[in-house]
Amino acid sequence: MADPIRWARYRWQRLISTEGREGSSPSNSSNKCHQSSKAIGKHRIVIPCLGHFKEEYEKVSKLYMNNKIQTTKYTLLNFLPRNLFEQFHRVANLYFLFLVVLNWVPLVEAFQKEITMLPLVAVLTIIAVKDGLEDYSKYKMDKKINNLLTKVYSRKEKKYIDECWKNVNVGDFIRLSRNEIIPADMVLLYSSDLNGICYIETASLDGETNLKQRQVVRGYSEQVSEIDPEKFSSRIECESPNNDLGHFRGFVEHSNKDRVGLSKENLLLRGCTVRNTEAVVGIVVYAGHETKAMLNNTGPHYKRSKLERKVNTDILWCVLLLILMCLTGAIGHGIWLSRYSEVPFFTIPEPGGKLIPPALAAFNVFWTMIILLQVLIPISLYVSIEIVKLGQIYLIQNDIDFYRETTDSTIQCRALNIAEDLGQIQYIFSDKTGTLTENKMVFRRCSIAGQEYCHEENAKRLESYQEVDSEDEDSADRQCGSSMHMSKWQGHDCRAVNEPLNRKSLSLLSGSHSALGREDGGRDAPRSGHVAFSSPIETDVVPDTQLLKKFSQISSHSYDQSEASSKLSLETMYITDFFLALAICNTVVVSVPSQPHQKMRLSSLGRMPIKSLEEIRQMFQRLSVRRLSSSPLPSVKESSSESPSSFVSKLSVFRMKMASPALDEAAQRAAELHNMDSPENSQVPQELDMVNVAVGCEYNSATSSIELSPLPKLCYEAESPDEAALVHAARAYRCILQSRTPDQVTVDFPGLGSLKFQLLHILPFDSVRKRMSVVVRHPVSNKVVVYTKGADSVMMDLLRTASEDTNNSEMEQKIKERTQKHLDDYARRGLRTLCIAKKAMSDAEYAEWLNHHFSAETSIDNREELLLESAIRLETELTLLGATGIEDRLQEGVPDTIQALRKAGIKIWMLTGDKRETAVNIAYACKLLEPDDIIFTLKSQNKDACALMMGKILEGIQKNASKKQPGQKLGNVSASLSTQSPGFSAGLVIDGWTLEHVLHDSLQNIFLELTEKCRAVVCCRATPLQKSVLVRLVRSKLKAMTLAVGDGANDVSMIQVADTGVGISGQEGMQAVMASDFAVCQFRHLKKLLLVHGHWCYTRLTNMVLYFFYKNVAYVNLLFWYQFFCGFSGTSMTDYWILILFNLLFTSVPPIIYGVLDKDVSAEVLLQLPQLYMMSQKSLAYLPSTFWITLLDAFYQSIVCFFVPYFTYYGSDIDIFSFGNLINTAALFIILFHLLIECKSVTWIHTVVVVGSILFYFVFTLAFGATCKTQNPSSNPYWIMEQHMTDPVFYLVCLLTTCVALLPRYLLRVLQGTLFPSQVLRAKHLDRLTPKEQREAIKRWRDDCVVNCRVELHATSGSFSSVTGAVSEEESVASVLPTSKTPL
């Protein structure tokens, strides 16, 4: 049989090539040559290093990178210089390097040279060690990856050999097996799958665990055996390397100049894993750092927090303060020297005997003072902040409340440096689907041909549905789920029949699995965790009884191909096409759980003889034109004399006949029937049809009972939950999507048997068209049919207008009107709506469109625009079939979370792509909008009308607010968020078209002014780009802290633009998570993340930063006050070692513990009183006044710490270092006890750290005093601390100094807590009450808040009639109407 098949294949290829040569005119050829020559410089040409390409390959390959990767920054030789170079990019390190160099100048030397270097060397060493360890781990990973082995074709050995990844080059042929990782970006030229499909897992790139299909390049998928690299004579031209994972543009040019377009479906990306495919072969187009995966690996994104920016500003104030103190010292030193009439005895002349004038001496002292007072600029602050942030992130990640058991996941903190921003959020921009809702799409209602089917039984099931972890459900999940549990909806009579059939179906599946004879057949069966959108609540759909009856009418017909359309009623045809569209118009991957995704291709016809009719049929299927006509090969280039109809007729020469159930189904199921045990299965095909058509439910006496058949166990892997819901809905009516290949879709339909649709094209969904389409050749009518589904806002405009057939036109108009009413009703119920439509094309129309589409597919430049134009050209004159309503239920705890966030003073905007009614209904359901809110729906057709409407709304609001008339519902709202009245109650709803107008530069300010007066904004029909523009607008214009939260790839842009991005690890992959700063499992986790951890992180870090400024200023001032008694000479009363280590060691750990563990209010109280969040939101803990008060307190405490010991020992003969030791010890007690006063919760850890710091200081000073000999003989710290420890005056002075210094701050805190406590102090008092008393106190607190709101509301009340009246006058150009206030 091999020879006839090869002969047929040869004749077919000759026919195609002849048509291609006849259809290509000279002008087209010249255009091609011109395009190729023009694109060589801009694009990449890929050729193999084989055969006649060798010379050209040597020239081209030099331009491309090899596959070796290097993610490390350093080598052994450049580590030290490069790391130091990078570290000295930080201004703080440059400052301290300047001080080190300055201290080496003899005239201005203040310390010993080695001592001055100590802090800088310590910081540089710690960071260098950290960077070195990180880079070494990258080096080991790079080495491991580069030395992985893969199969590369060797031109010398003429076979595939093992080669390291790093030796792979562009143009190499790679052969991969199942479960192997793809080493480089390569174009797929061969797959062992019969249909030319390769399954890959892209989790390493986008986090999605659903398997993706990739397709062999058209023209190569028909190969019987594996591709021979030696015979590859084509060249590939593609775009230059880029990081766009969603697109790939290029074409394969054969030796006869024919081109075949390339897309992302033909590209295997580096880092992905081959699954469920035995062998694939591809040619490398991008290698190493030019692969898309490496170009997307930009490393961690860095965001600077608001607090960090403020700290940098305050450090500049500290620099100015340092300069002022140094100028004071320099001027004082000059004045002091000029007061001596004679040369002072301590003045040392220069080597030439010349004396230094007072002015020059003052200049030198200025730089000496810079070195002496350097601690005023806190070098350890930056290190301490990083440590504190790591500790805070650790506490967040280990919070058990963020753990979700069902998904075994918890919060991820991907950005380590903006945790404190969580406590200052003013605006939240939230996606709807998957963020506020579960993204579990449940089919609820549908409308077909203007008739609505309510699916009441399905609604009752959903109301009482509870997902339980029973053994049956677990086993169903492991097998990817049956489409539905029939016993749940078929009534008492059906259950007894259904249960044994389900068990029987399981045995049939196991029998067919064993008949395959594959030992590893189930090895790659998808697990439940790898299949999204497959929970029972999504897959189980209870059919509508009325619609089932109409399905029985379809099954009652004896279907014949030639007379089918004339026999069926129009409504039945609508129902048939509607459910076919649900099953076909998608990209769902179908697999059987107990079998691998692919069937093995015959490796060679000569080596494996054909033994069965089934194999013969499959071979002819591969040879048939269904595959070639689905891909626009050069045969579409017709000559001008050839008509489109003749061209299409040639395409159908070898078309398989699908109409006869007896022939087709017998051939299709030949391999399955011999495995089945039941004798019924061996009967005639007509009986098989009856089993397939069975709907399994007994209706009434007028309807015959149909025997129930089991549903096959199929696994549907969808890229979106909407697609999965529609496919499962069709499956519930026994319109079962059986299989999908790149060229064919098989659907089992009641009464029609197995229908094999020739899949010609898929036009995927995009945010511009807002729809997707599939182009198929119908197996019954043999016509080209376009099935389209999309948003009603665009679909209704694409329907065909009135035609010559008046009756049909009137009927279609009625269907359109009724369907629109149903769509509006679905939207009001909060359902997601889709319109379903079709279009039948003649062969001539299809051939004409195909010519344009082919040129778009084979272009590289502007390919997306050309494909968009081609799709729009096709999707016109559609016939409306019906609409669907899908429910996406709210996540648990969303209403409570939104209410709490709003009480916390956070404005929430919902940005969604759904229609207005759906968005508003969900907003009411989640309590984003309240029933008492006044809702403005802003919808206009042009910019001027939009500006007029917003102006009138604002004018009316401000007029009524200023009059303060009784009865008004609007509170007194100012333009700023901080002064907004809690009683304000209005919301704004705006659609995507109007957003285009309001985002114009001239309308941005008035739009933002309007939104500030509304406590909630709902933007519907918003595109991903509009979402990001809105976030950027609010962030830049209002200077507000923004948070964006989403779960899908369409939310990535706004997540990256916001100050803080939060990703929901939901059903739509991990793109949003990978682009976010924080990732949570559910929206409700935002409540604790912001109100608790955000509040804690901000207050802890601000208090620690203020404490650091206080600590450094207080200690540096001790040195400054001493200058008044030493002639401003720049000397110190303390040994240099003690001076440097005081801030570096003795007082560094307590503030870090303070910043990590301090807790002003418990988590329980913060959650119950969201109003406390406003304290951190308004930055009350770190106001400019707070900073300066802290510095003033530091000045006061330093004065006390210096002058109390000074006056105590006034007139005595105490030496300098003894005096300095006393001041140092008193300063240590003051600084540490000051921290205890500021601590809101003192734990045993605080106590241990404070006591440990004191003990460490005494141990060090005792050891230092007992062993140290100073280099400066005039000041010797030897045995000083030992002498002080025996002196009672020492203890008395330390105690007195500490009490006097801390008394004002202590009294201030006492008065704050008793006479005028803040909100936080009042809440802190609640933690000391018993649980019962605490509940009563919180209830009183809430009641007081409600009363205050009502008082403010009543004080600013007035009539709102003037506003609504002004709005109604302009209804023709814009609509500002109160929306329905009935929540779900």
Side-chain angles (χ1 to χ4, degrees), residues 432-433 437 441-442 444-445 822-833 885-890 914-925 1382-1384:
K432 182 183 75 68
T433 305
T437 61
M441 305 301 177
V442 182
R444 291 297 302 266
R445 290 169 174 250
H822 298 155
L823 285 168
D824 295 339
D825 178 59
Y826 295 166
R828 284 190 292 270
R829 295 173 182 270
L831 304 181
R832 294 166 59 88
T833 57
I886 299 175
E887 180 186 18
D888 187 10
R889 301 194 302 178
L890 285 178
D914 283 341
K915 63 184 301 183
R916 180 178 63 87
E917 293 83 0
T918 303
V920 171
N921 196 284
I922 293 297
Y924 276 115
T1382 306
L1384 272 177

Side-chain angles (χ1 to χ4, degrees), residues 937-981:
T937 302
L938 189 59
K939 184 178 181 181
S940 65
Q941 301 299 325
N942 57 72
K943 186 178 68 174
D944 295 334
C946 186
L948 182 62
M949 281 301 92
M950 290 191 293
K952 288 199 172 185
I953 295 172
L954 283 171
E955 182 183 350
I957 292 176
Q958 293 169 356
K959 184 186 299 182
N960 284 269
S962 60
K963 289 181 181 180
K964 296 186 180 181
Q965 297 175 355
Q968 184 184 353
K969 285 189 176 181
L970 295 181
N972 183 19
V973 182
S974 66
S976 65
L977 179 69
S978 59
T979 59
Q980 192 171 356
S981 171

Side-chain angles (χ1 to χ4, degrees), residues 425-430 901 906-911 1017 1041-1045 1083 1086 1090:
I425 301 300
Q426 296 168 293
Y427 282 82
I428 290 180
F429 298 87
S430 174
L901 294 176
I906 300 175
K907 284 192 171 185
I908 303 176
W909 290 26
M910 186 171 75
L911 313 180
V1017 178
M1041 292 294 294
T1042 59
L1043 181 146
V1045 54
F1083 184 84
L1086 276 182
L1090 298 183

Side-chain angles (χ1 to χ4, degrees), residues 475-476 479-483 501-517 521-522 591-596 671-672 675-677 681 710-715 731 738:
S475 62
Q479 297 175 10
C480 301
S482 170
S483 70
L501 284 175
N502 280 337
R503 289 193 292 270
K504 181 179 178 181
S505 64
L506 290 174
S507 65
L508 291 179
L509 281 173
S510 61
S512 62
H513 173 255
S514 61
L516 290 173
S591 61
V592 179
S594 58
Q595 297 176 359
E672 300 176 6
N675 294 323
M676 298 187 179
D677 301 332
N681 294 326
L711 283 173
K713 300 287 184 180
L714 295 176
C715 180
R731 182 179 171 129
Q738 288 284 4

Side-chain angles (χ1 to χ4, degrees), residues 73-373:
K73 290 192 297 184
Y74 310 111
T75 64
L76 287 176
L77 295 179
N78 72 2
F79 172 73
L80 193 59
R82 183 170 181 178
N83 185 263
L84 290 176
F85 178 76
E86 289 180 351
Q87 291 202 54
F88 284 122
H89 272 74
R90 299 169 184 165
V91 178
N93 290 344
L94 280 177
Y95 167 76
F96 284 98
L97 177 65
F98 168 73
L99 293 180
V100 169
V101 175
L102 192 65
N103 196 58
W104 282 71
V105 179
L107 289 177
V108 297
E109 179 183 356
F111 299 148
Q112 295 179 21
K113 299 177 179 61
E114 298 80 5
I115 297 177
T116 311
M117 296 174 60
L118 183 63
L120 182 63
V121 170
V123 172
L124 294 179
T125 302
I126 292 173
I127 296 178
V129 170
K130 177 184 73 70
D131 293 343
L133 291 176
E134 288 180 355
D135 212 56
Y136 180 66
S137 64
K138 292 181 181 179
Y139 165 77
K140 291 194 297 182
M141 183 59 66
D142 290 346
K143 185 177 180 181
K144 181 179 179 181
I145 292 175
N146 287 329
N147 290 316
L148 291 175
L149 297 178
T150 189
K151 295 285 186 181
V152 181
Y153 187 81
S154 172
R155 59 178 176 174
K156 294 181 180 179
E157 302 185 25
K158 307 296 182 184
K159 66 177 183 179
Y160 289 97
I161 62 173
D162 287 331
E163 193 67 75
C164 292
W165 279 26
K166 62 183 178 183
N167 297 327
V168 173
N169 295 295
V170 174
D172 284 345
F173 283 87
I174 306 292
R175 190 181 193 276
L176 299 172
S177 301
R178 180 165 57 175
N179 297 330
E180 284 193 65
I181 301 175
I182 301 169
D185 292 354
M186 54 192 237
V187 171
L188 183 62
L189 298 177
Y190 168 80
S191 172
S192 58
D193 185 88
L194 283 173
N195 301 300
I197 293 175
C198 170
Y199 294 92
I200 61 172
E201 183 182 279
T202 61
S204 60
L205 294 182
D206 54 20
E208 296 187 10
T209 54
N210 280 354
L211 299 186
K212 309 291 191 307
Q213 285 186 355
R214 292 296 179 262
Q215 188 175 339
V216 172
V217 176
R218 293 190 299 262
Y220 291 93
S221 54
E222 292 80 20
Q223 298 174 100
V224 177
S225 59
E226 186 172 313
I227 185 173
D228 186 359
E230 295 288 344
K231 297 179 181 179
F232 185 80
S233 60
S234 304
R235 68 174 63 226
I236 296 175
E237 187 170 332
C238 59
E239 59 188 351
S240 299
N242 58 76
N243 62 352
D244 190 351
L245 295 173
H247 295 93
F248 176 65
R249 308 165 187 88
F251 58 82
V252 177
E253 188 174 68
H254 300 299
S255 56
N256 61 357
K257 301 300 181 181
D258 292 334
R259 292 181 177 180
V260 176
L262 298 176
S263 68
K264 71 170 185 176
E265 303 301 325
N266 309 121
L267 187 67
L268 303 182
L269 296 178
R270 176 190 174 107
C272 299
T273 306
V274 177
R275 300 290 190 197
N276 301 331
T277 311
E278 292 300 325
V280 296
V281 175
I283 184 171
V284 176
V285 291
Y286 306 125
H289 288 277
E290 292 181 335
T291 58
K292 291 182 180 289
M294 293 302 297
L295 290 174
N296 274 276
N297 186 17
T298 57
H301 55 284
Y302 181 82
K303 289 183 179 179
R304 180 176 294 178
S305 68
K306 183 178 178 181
L307 179 62
E308 187 176 346
R309 295 193 295 268
K310 200 167 185 179
V311 168
N312 292 337
T313 303
D314 288 340
I315 285 181
L316 292 178
W317 285 112
C318 289
V319 171
L320 293 177
L321 180 61
L322 174 65
I323 294 174
L324 181 62
M325 294 170 69
C326 293
L327 282 174
T328 303
I331 295 172
H333 185 67
I335 295 174
W336 184 64
L337 285 178
S338 62
R339 290 176 59 186
Y340 286 91
S341 58
E342 299 180 358
V343 178
F345 68 92
F346 51 80
T347 302
I348 302 176
E350 294 182 353
K354 186 179 179 181
L355 296 175
I356 301 176
L360 181 59
F363 177 78
N364 293 337
V365 165
F366 174 83
W367 296 108
T368 303
M369 293 283 287
I370 289 284
I371 301 172
L372 181 67
L373 306 180

Side-chain angles (χ1 to χ4, degrees), residues 1106-1225:
L1106 288 172
Y1107 177 77
F1108 250 94
F1109 283 124
Y1110 149 78
K1111 176 170 70 80
N1112 285 28
V1113 171
Y1115 190 71
V1116 163
N1117 272 296
L1118 299 177
L1119 303 174
F1120 181 68
W1121 302 135
Y1122 180 69
Q1123 301 308 308
F1124 287 89
F1125 301 92
C1126 66
F1128 299 97
S1129 58
T1131 58
S1132 170
M1133 72 287 189
T1134 304
D1135 185 82
Y1136 302 142
W1137 284 98
I1138 303 295
L1139 184 66
I1140 294 296
L1141 296 179
F1142 189 88
N1143 279 303
L1144 199 63
L1145 292 179
F1146 303 146
T1147 59
S1148 60
V1149 179
I1152 292 176
I1153 299 299
Y1154 173 51
V1156 174
L1157 298 180
D1158 193 40
K1159 186 187 299 183
D1160 54 353
V1161 185
S1162 66
E1164 293 76 13
V1165 175
L1166 286 172
L1167 289 174
Q1168 294 183 64
L1169 298 175
Q1171 295 84 355
L1172 297 174
Y1173 183 80
M1174 295 182 187
M1175 307 295 290
S1176 61
Q1177 184 189 56
K1178 298 175 183 178
S1179 303
L1180 297 182
Y1182 196 180
L1183 297 172
S1185 58
T1186 310
F1187 171 75
W1188 290 110
I1189 290 174
T1190 300
L1191 294 193
L1192 290 176
D1193 190 30
F1195 268 88
Y1196 164 77
Q1197 293 187 22
S1198 65
I1199 290 173
V1200 171
C1201 186
F1202 182 86
F1203 285 100
V1204 168
Y1206 173 79
F1207 287 112
T1208 301
Y1209 288 96
Y1210 183 77
S1212 67
D1213 58 351
I1214 187 172
D1215 64 278
I1216 295 176
F1217 275 19
S1218 297
F1219 178 68
N1221 183 69
L1222 179 60
I1223 292 178
N1224 269 332
T1225 306

